Amino acid sequence: MGGARARWDAKYKAGYGSDAPDLWVVEQLTGLGPPASLLDIAGGRGRHAVWAAQRGFDTTLLDVSPVALRHAVELKDTIRTIEHDLEATEELTIGGCWDIALVCNFLHRPTLRTLHRVVAPGGTVLFVHPMVDDNYMSHRRQLVFPI
């Protein structure tokens, strides 16, 4: 975990990332709950986790960076955190089951293949990712997968 952790910790210490949630994610989460449990996967500084927790979601934030996880908890202390390097494994191997799994701007295909393991029956996966030229605003896909 050292390489990814060190790389992302350095970015977050330098101020990388925004605290403002993605508007499409806000729209989707508004329609899904609360009450609902949410796992924000590779959620960085917690821009979505904080927003959701402030509105009553039972929220867990998963990221490789303890710096990012601490930032989120400083903003909303009810957020549970999981420090985990998703790119160091071929499967999503955390324990637990949530109503909603959110993946925003993170693509690791082995993680995507095993998302069903952390989503409750009848739950939802929200997936947002830049496409084509990685210009976030001009080409992106937002997908909702009911489980």
Side-chain angles (χ1 to χ4, degrees), residues 21 26 29-30 33-35 48-59 76:
V26 167
L29 290 178
T30 299
H48 300 113
V50 169
W51 182 92
Q54 289 171 336
R55 283 148 185 85
F57 285 83
D58 178 12
T59 306
K76 184 63 177 166

Side-chain angles (χ1 to χ4, degrees), residues 38-91:
L38 169 70
L39 175 62
D40 187 356
I41 298 171
R45 296 165 41 107
R47 65 188 181 136
H48 300 113
V50 169
W51 182 92
Q54 289 171 336
R55 283 148 185 85
F57 285 83
D58 178 12
T59 306
T60 303
L61 174 61
L62 182 149
D63 199 85
V64 68
S65 170
V67 170
L69 296 171
R70 277 193 303 274
H71 175 80
V73 171
E74 287 170 4
L75 294 175
K76 184 63 177 166
D77 64 2
T78 61
I79 295 172
R80 283 183 302 286
T81 62
I82 300 171
E83 183 182 330
H84 184 72
D85 184 354
L86 293 163
E87 294 177 346
T89 181
E90 289 297 311
E91 298 181 359

